[in-house]
Amino acid sequence: MEVASQNNDHLSKRWNHLRKILERSGPFCHPNFAASSETLEFLLNTCKILVIGAGGLGCELLKDLALMGVRDIHVIDMDTIELSNLNRQFLFRRTDIGKSKAQCAAAFISARVPGCVVTPHFCKIQDFDSAFYRQFHIIVCGLDSIVARRWINGMLISMLEYEEDGSVDETSIIPLIDGGTEGFKGNARVILPGMTACIDCTLDLFPPQVNYPLCTIANTPRLPEHCIEYVKIIQWPKETPFGVDVALDGDDPQHVSWVYEKAQERANSFNITGLSYRLVQGVLKNIIPAVASTNAVIAAACATEVFKIASSCCEPLNNYMVFNDVDGIYTYTYEAEKRSDCLACSQVPRPVEIKDPNGMTLQDLIQLLCENPEFQMKSPGLTAVLEGKNKTLYMGTVKSIEEATKGNLTLSLSELGLKDGQEIMVADITTPNTILIKLKFQPNEVEMS
């Protein structure tokens, strides 16, 4: 009895700093906030949070949320731990190399923070359906992938329910807190699906992935990156150093070393300097060097927003904060606006302007959807209703359908029977839902005599 009493006393004192915020009102409180001990009770015993990503941001988020009083946390990550992670992903040790990030992070937090239970999921976010995501009060993203961000954004939007007047049923909204870092720069944002700007509303803020022209890579390389890309795209499939069926793996030291040696040979022949093993890894995995302090700041900002939303103790961020400590410390907050024609949350077809339907091929349209900053798709599959029948124009993700439809790639939009105002359904890995685009043919320019 005496031991139990001591534990209760410790537990009581442990959350005194939260009680000062939650059990008394103040000038900065949310208008709907009511000081009560029940709020802390909800935070400790009911609130359920999902953290997506257990890398640099994810480790910080898990630590912050656990120390903030959240006791029921789930974490999803599909990656395993590498040696290069250990300098900033502080929940891992050398003995963890090769193990699941989600499982190791969950075990560390559960053991270190009394009362906190972290449930790991060593898989992709796409492996779960809406029933899984619906169990959480708030979802926090610590991702390094735009594709994954867009997918979870689309999932939460698809789970929305609507009133008879068309307005969003607020009880169906699961807030999404998104953090991102890039070297000494970072951002934190609060997304209320269906009400505020979503990931796709601000898609043009994400720079499209850098692709080097093949002619430059093959004939006139000028940068060490060109040499690496040449080995990756041309030499690897040609020489198959580890077997015909072995794909290039940026996490495999043998693969990276082989690419490094071949790229160095090519760089020497063109008098190109600056090649390094680290650069090879960065190009192969398309990664940007991470800084531990930036991760800590952004994770703290995200965790604070989780606390504000879960407790209603203060107005949440409205709705986008940028952070930069390259030279001093600079932050700026602004409201990203919801787009009326957003691909994900507007529920209206996005118009796509076509200058020459007779000259533009289906391949050109697919390339536009991949390269345009407002779409940034990866491998879109296109379907349209033609002459009253549903017709698959092209789908590259299913081999049998790809074989049957690849002939359409060289046909013009007019030859395919697509007309001005034609709606096309597009499926892509960036979203769990099919989106609609609407072709808008521009009138032919008539030269005035």
Side-chain angles (χ1 to χ4, degrees), residues 19 23 35 41 50 61 63 68 114 123 151 153 234 237 240 268 271 280 293 297 318 325 334 342 360 411 420 427 429:
R19 289 194 174 90
E23 296 182 7
E41 186 72 19
L50 173 64
L61 283 166
K63 175 260 295 180
M68 193 175 279
C123 59
W151 192 92
N153 176 73
I234 297 174
T240 59
N268 292 340
N271 296 318
V280 172
S293 59
V297 170
N318 187 28
D325 63 348
Y334 69 95
C342 172
M360 187 178 201
L411 297 178
D420 184 30
I429 60 172

Side-chain angles (χ1 to χ4, degrees), residues 3-315:
V3 173
S5 177
Q6 289 176 352
N7 287 338
N8 289 332
D9 289 342
H10 170 71
L11 192 63
S12 177
K13 295 176 182 178
R14 180 178 171 189
W15 306 114
N16 280 346
H17 60 297
L18 295 183
R19 289 194 174 90
K20 292 176 182 177
I21 299 172
L22 302 178
E23 296 182 7
R24 61 188 186 189
S25 60
F28 300 107
C29 288
H30 190 284
N32 298 327
F33 175 71
S36 169
S37 59
E38 294 179 2
T39 307
L40 180 59
E41 186 72 19
F42 167 78
L43 195 68
L44 293 174
N45 299 320
T46 306
C47 188
K48 196 170 188 178
I49 304 294
L50 173 64
V51 175
I52 302 179
L57 263 180
C59 286
E60 291 281 354
L61 283 166
L62 289 169
K63 175 260 295 180
D64 290 346
L65 292 171
L67 294 177
M68 193 175 279
V70 181
R71 291 175 163 184
D72 191 354
I73 305 174
H74 287 236
V75 58
I76 301 177
D77 199 296
M78 60 178 286
D79 288 339
T80 54
I81 299 162
E82 305 169 34
L83 178 63
S84 61
N85 299 149
L86 302 185
N87 71 330
R88 64 193 180 280
Q89 298 174 23
F90 60 91
L91 300 183
F92 310 136
R93 300 295 182 264
R94 185 176 286 270
T95 53
D96 295 327
I97 292 174
K99 298 178 183 177
S100 159
K101 286 186 177 180
Q103 292 171 355
C104 290
F108 191 105
I109 294 293
S110 297
R112 187 68 176 265
V113 182
C116 182
V117 177
V118 182
T119 305
H121 302 279
F122 180 31
C123 59
K124 299 178 181 179
I125 56 174
Q126 293 87 347
D127 291 343
F128 293 111
D129 59 12
S130 58
F132 172 80
Y133 292 106
R134 197 170 276 116
Q135 66 182 302
F136 299 103
H137 293 94
I138 302 171
I139 294 177
V140 198
C141 288
L143 291 162
D144 58 3
S145 166
I146 297 173
V147 172
R149 279 188 176 92
R150 295 177 67 184
W151 192 92
I152 191 64
N153 176 73
M155 172 57 76
L156 296 182
I157 289 170
S158 72
M159 290 160 54
L160 294 175
E161 297 176 3
Y162 295 85
E163 306 285 1
E164 291 182 3
D165 60 0
S167 61
V168 177
D169 179 357
E170 294 187 11
T171 61
S172 67
I173 295 174
I174 298 178
L176 176 65
I177 314 297
D178 178 57
T181 63
E182 192 174 284
F184 289 99
K185 302 174 184 178
N187 71 272
R189 64 188 302 185
V190 174
I191 298 169
L192 302 178
M195 296 186 67
T196 64
C198 73
I199 296 289
D200 276 47
C201 285
T202 56
L203 190 59
D204 51 356
L205 291 178
F206 297 106
Q209 185 174 330
V210 177
N211 293 306
Y212 301 106
L214 188 59
C215 56
T216 300
I217 295 170
N219 302 319
T220 56
R222 299 183 301 276
L223 301 170
E225 289 88 343
H226 294 163
C227 301
I228 300 167
E229 286 286 336
Y230 179 84
V231 177
K232 172 185 174 182
I233 295 171
I234 297 174
Q235 285 188 256
W236 179 275
K238 183 179 179 180
E239 300 186 23
T240 59
F242 297 91
V244 178
D245 298 325
V246 179
L248 178 55
D249 183 358
D251 292 324
D252 190 320
Q254 289 183 305
H255 291 196
V256 178
S257 296
W258 187 89
V259 173
Y260 175 55
E261 290 173 8
K262 295 295 181 180
Q264 189 65 66
E265 291 174 8
R266 185 165 177 80
N268 292 340
S269 64
F270 284 92
N271 296 318
I272 296 172
T273 60
L275 191 73
S276 67
Y277 185 91
R278 186 180 180 85
L279 180 63
V280 172
Q281 275 189 313
V283 172
L284 292 182
K285 298 177 64 179
N286 192 32
I287 57 176
I288 298 168
V291 177
S293 59
T294 311
N295 286 335
V297 170
I298 297 303
C302 291
T304 301
E305 294 307 316
V306 170
F307 181 77
K308 289 194 288 186
I309 292 174
S311 66
S312 296
C313 68
C314 189
E315 290 276 9

Side-chain angles (χ1 to χ4, degrees), residues 321-372:
M321 185 272 286
V322 292
F323 171 82
N324 187 331
D325 63 348
V326 173
D327 185 14
I329 294 179
Y330 170 80
T331 62
Y332 177 69
T333 303
Y334 69 95
E335 181 180 0
E337 295 185 358
K338 193 173 185 291
R339 286 189 64 149
S340 59
D341 62 345
C342 172
L343 280 171
C345 69
S346 68
Q347 299 184 329
V348 298
R350 170 71 72 85
V352 179
E353 293 190 354
I354 307 297
K355 292 183 179 180
D356 182 11
N358 296 315
M360 187 178 201
T361 64
L362 185 64
Q363 178 67 64
D364 294 332
L365 177 60
I366 291 173
Q367 189 172 349
L368 183 150
L369 294 175
C370 292
E371 296 180 354
N372 190 305

